[in-house]
Amino acid sequence: MDIDNWQWFLDRWNAQWRAVQKLADPEEADEEALAAGGLCFPPAGERRTAALERRLGTALPPSYRAFLQVSDGWRHAGGSVYLLAGTGDADWHRDPMGMKALYEEQLDARPTPSEVLMAGMWERALRLSVDSDMTDVLLDPGDTDENGEWALYVYKGWSGEYPERYGSFGAFMRQGHRKFVADQGDDPRFEDELTRELDASVERARVACLAGEDVDAQAAALGEAESFGRPRARVLREQIGTMLGRAGHLPVPPDTNDPLYVREVMPVLALEHCQRGRDDDWFLRRHGEEGREAAEAALAAARGRTFRYVSPGAFGRAVDEAREQARWGDADSAWRTLVTAVPGWEPYGPEHLAPIGLTADPLLGPLVTPERGRHILTTPRAGHGGRTGAPVVGPERDGGWGLGWVAQDDRPDHSYRFVAVQGVTPPALAERLGGGEPLAPHTERELWRLRHRGGDTRGRCLYRVGSCGGAGDWSFAYDHDPETYQYGRVEGPGALVPPGVRSVAVWCERNAVPGRGRTDVFHFSYAEDGETRFTAVVRAGAAEATGTVPDGLDPALFGTALFDGAPPVPAGGTGPGLARDAETRALDAIGAAFGIGLPRFALRQGGLHAAWGPSWIRPPGPGQAVLTFVRRRPAG
């Protein structure tokens, strides 16, 4: 946006600059500029402006021309520019350093239009910087818009960076003024009509956000105030960004006596720090010796996934309840518990907008998707009025508690396996699998890192455990990156369950053999009292089954229908791929027959406790050798 009233704009900037000079140390004040009236010069007038156009042989762009009618040049235009040209000093740049040739050498075979414009700019540009610290301010008549404005480039010769482009001279001056005001933001003595207006807009946005009003409008208002350096604006805006899934700096002073910092901000910063693999020394140093112990604890909780978000009042009680619901996979109930309690959420002070610390909780953080974070922000809270009765967004039960959804993954190598056990709690199942307490909650991506971060994992498998939900007392252990299937050697964990207990195991592997076909496998088994009662294996178009199929299941579901009826191939050969629709029908039938399901949100996006367990593959017998291929997938 260009400047409509140059006189008003320049007068305000000049008055603000003069006020800052009075606040500055006398040795740092620019007495010469003060004596000359400040930043501005007398107007150029139409005669001198027209003379400049005749000398240059071209009409000036509108915003620069309008500027000259008010001030024939400008002092301290921002950054390293100390004097901008008026009618007497503006002249063509003529590329004395040969920058055009340098930039043209860097163009590849298919340069973008902006790259071509920048390369040619150096010879044709109008130079406006008269006095600067190795900084060129250049107006390019070859880069114009529909209003006749010339693009302006600022090139800092000492930086090694590409020139910074502005749409016009007016846009450059507007940004220069914004930066000037922002530089004074930490000085409470710097105050005028503009800063008071901006601070009032920050407070209006804060109250409106707490009342659940349009979050994008409030973020925009805060962003505008932040661009002028208003102190509270960024603190509030970054909280909105955190709830919407956009990581930010959260510039709250590191005060370990401030509950806003310790309970809300510090856990978020510690988690981001650990996820990015940064050096701990920086994080610890910014907290000083008095805060070192708290900072070390925050990093340890983030790495160990042991952080527990706490909040005062009714919302804090809901957090505790939701954590237990989410612990074994009931993310839907956990989210509903949280969102129902949002109107009772209490801030720690006037700089606190939302429960941002919730996003760092390993069990509850994954529930706060950007959509759900927006829902929290648009729910009236902290006693503020506003709309009520808003529907709860993001329900998990959109097909997320069956089994068929597991097959709906477009990755060509999508493989998985799981065991569901009746009458055993998730912690007990984790203990039976791994012989110890469950590990901390992990997302799918975090589990991949745990599995592949180093060390020998042969003979061990890594699962996430939880409740099968819905009908009965079933628990599950799920592995989304299983060991390679070995026909005839699959034992499964059914033998680990106690007498009188039923278990179901499914193993699906997709595996392409380059240039030959696929060796996909679907394995289903049912065990009772520690003994396998039924097993069906379909591989390379061939199917075989042993035992008695469980009640309520059609054995045809586990035959060649899983490969769309393709003819079988010889043992050890390759064949067609598993048909996802048939795989989905088989999984749904298993779920219906036993009244079990897997929580889609918890497994795909949420955090669940993990557990190590033994291999499903029996060791080879005497004289037998097995060649094992281990699949490695990149994180993410």
Side-chain angles (χ1 to χ4, degrees):
M1 179 186 298
D2 282 313
I3 298 167
D4 296 327
N5 189 330
W6 277 98
Q7 187 71 62
W8 174 82
F9 173 79
L10 296 178
D11 284 350
R12 182 174 68 175
W13 190 349
N14 193 39
Q16 291 170 329
W17 182 83
R18 292 175 64 87
V20 169
Q21 294 300 299
K22 292 179 181 180
L23 297 174
D25 188 304
E27 296 182 358
E28 298 178 357
D30 188 339
E31 296 295 343
E32 181 179 349
L34 281 170
L39 304 179
C40 58
F41 291 85
E46 181 59 31
R47 184 178 62 82
R48 294 176 63 183
T49 303
L52 171 62
E53 291 179 321
R54 287 193 298 272
R55 175 165 62 85
L56 297 175
T58 184
L60 295 171
S63 61
Y64 182 54
R65 198 178 200 283
F67 160 77
L68 293 173
Q69 302 305 298
V70 177
S71 180
D72 194 9
W74 193 255
R75 300 180 181 91
H76 299 298
S80 303
V81 181
Y82 311 128
L83 180 63
L84 280 179
T87 54
D89 296 313
D91 202 355
W92 299 115
H93 183 243
R94 298 186 180 88
D95 192 19
M97 303 300 293
M99 300 297 288
K100 178 183 178 182
L102 178 64
Y103 273 69
E104 286 181 339
E105 288 177 2
Q106 298 177 12
L107 297 177
D108 58 24
R110 302 178 64 181
T112 65
S114 61
E115 291 173 336
V116 173
L117 282 173
M118 185 179 294
M121 175 267 298
W122 302 95
E123 285 188 344
R124 61 177 179 258
L126 183 67
R127 176 186 54 78
L128 298 187
S129 46
V130 178
D131 184 13
S132 70
D133 183 8
M134 295 181 63
T135 300
D136 288 323
V137 179
L138 306 172
L139 275 171
D140 183 10
D143 185 355
T144 62
D145 65 12
E146 64 277 7
N147 298 316
E149 293 288 358
W150 302 2
L152 184 144
Y153 291 85
V154 177
Y155 175 63
K156 301 173 182 177
W158 45 266
S159 71
E161 301 173 352
Y162 280 91
E164 184 176 4
R165 182 186 183 277
Y166 297 85
S168 66
F169 175 79
F172 163 73
M173 291 293 282
R174 187 180 293 278
Q175 181 59 29
H177 172 252
R178 195 179 298 260
K179 178 66 166 57
F180 165 77
V181 176
D183 286 344
Q184 323 308 322
D186 292 333
D187 189 344
R189 300 175 301 167
F190 179 74
E191 180 185 1
D192 69 350
E193 181 182 358
L194 174 62
T195 61
R196 288 190 293 270
E197 179 183 322
L198 289 169
D199 291 343
S201 74
V202 170
E203 180 60 16
R204 287 194 300 271
R206 182 188 75 88
V207 173
C209 190
L210 287 171
E213 296 183 16
D214 183 358
V215 65
D216 294 320
Q218 311 324 316
L222 293 171
E224 175 69 8
E226 181 188 349
S227 71
F228 282 95
R230 303 320 298 155
R232 300 177 67 207
R234 187 178 182 189
V235 173
L236 298 173
R237 189 183 65 81
E238 290 290 1
Q239 292 178 60
I240 293 176
T242 297
M243 296 303 292
L244 297 180
R246 298 192 292 267
H249 175 58
L250 290 171
V252 176
D255 180 0
T256 53
N257 294 313
D258 178 7
L260 170 59
Y261 183 77
V262 173
R263 296 185 179 181
E264 301 280 351
V265 175
M266 193 179 192
V268 176
L269 297 180
L271 179 61
E272 181 189 9
H273 175 91
C274 294
Q275 288 175 336
R276 297 193 177 188
R278 293 170 172 167
D279 182 4
D280 286 357
D281 285 346
W282 176 87
F283 189 87
L284 297 175
R285 283 198 307 271
R286 76 183 298 264
H287 291 89
E289 284 303 317
E290 67 281 0
R292 185 180 183 91
E293 183 177 352
E296 289 176 338
L299 291 176
R303 286 202 174 91
R305 296 171 180 82
T306 59
F307 169 67
R308 289 173 57 93
Y309 177 68
V310 295
S311 185
F315 186 73
R317 293 189 291 274
V319 166
D320 293 339
E321 180 183 350
R323 181 180 293 107
E324 295 310 308
Q325 292 168 327
R327 187 176 303 281
W328 307 117
D330 194 358
D332 180 50
S333 295
W335 166 243
R336 291 180 183 276
T337 297
L338 283 176
V339 78
T340 301
V342 167
W345 173 79
E346 302 174 19
Y348 287 116
E351 312 303 324
H352 196 189
L353 271 186
I356 55 175
L358 193 66
T359 64
D361 190 294
L363 279 169
L364 299 179
L367 300 182
V368 188
T369 62
E371 181 188 23
R372 289 172 169 180
R374 180 177 293 274
H375 185 83
I376 291 175
L377 290 170
T378 53
T379 299
R381 52 204 180 278
H384 287 72
R387 69 180 172 81
T388 58
V392 176
V393 298
E396 183 182 348
R397 297 184 188 275
D398 52 351
W401 274 98
L403 292 181
W405 68 265
V406 179
Q408 303 307 308
D409 191 307
D410 293 334
R411 289 174 294 185
D413 62 345
H414 174 53
S415 301
Y416 60 88
R417 64 181 173 184
F418 64 87
V419 58
V421 183
Q422 187 181 30
V424 177
T425 65
L429 178 58
E431 184 175 356
R432 287 182 176 277
L433 289 171
E437 292 288 327
L439 304 178
H442 286 69
T443 64
E444 183 175 295
R445 179 176 296 184
E446 291 166 348
L447 198 74
W448 190 95
R449 295 192 186 111
L450 178 62
R451 180 186 286 113
H452 297 295
R453 66 185 177 185
D456 187 359
T457 61
R458 289 176 296 180
R460 293 200 302 166
C461 306
L462 193 54
Y463 306 90
R464 287 193 292 164
V465 295
S467 169
C468 286
D473 53 348
W474 290 74
S475 299
F476 72 84
Y478 180 92
D479 181 2
H480 80 284
D481 191 17
E483 58 194 324
T484 301
Y485 189 92
Q486 295 178 22
Y487 177 72
R489 303 191 187 282
V490 177
E491 183 175 38
L496 296 175
V497 301
V501 170
R502 299 187 296 165
S503 70
V504 169
V506 172
W507 188 342
C508 175
E509 177 174 274
R510 285 182 167 83
N511 188 30
V513 180
R516 294 177 56 195
R518 305 190 63 86
T519 58
D520 294 357
V521 176
F522 187 91
H523 172 115
F524 163 60
S525 62
Y526 166 67
E528 190 173 324
D529 294 331
E531 295 183 2
T532 301
R533 303 296 177 87
F534 176 76
T535 300
V537 181
V538 187
R539 60 192 181 95
E544 57 185 82
T546 59
T548 303
V549 66
D551 292 340
L553 287 176
D554 181 357
L557 290 169
F558 310 105
T560 56
L562 283 164
F563 288 89
D564 276 343
V569 297
T574 59
L578 281 165
R580 293 191 190 275
D581 289 345
E583 180 188 349
T584 300
R585 287 192 294 272
L587 290 171
D588 280 339
I590 294 170
F594 293 98
I596 60 175
L598 295 175
R600 180 174 189 166
F601 185 95
L603 285 170
R604 288 284 175 84
Q605 296 176 251
L608 286 171
H609 286 283
W612 287 102
S615 170
W616 287 28
I617 305 296
R618 292 191 303 269
Q624 295 178 319
V626 175
L627 179 62
T628 301
F629 298 90
V630 179
R631 183 170 44 250
R632 298 289 187 187
R633 295 193 183 103

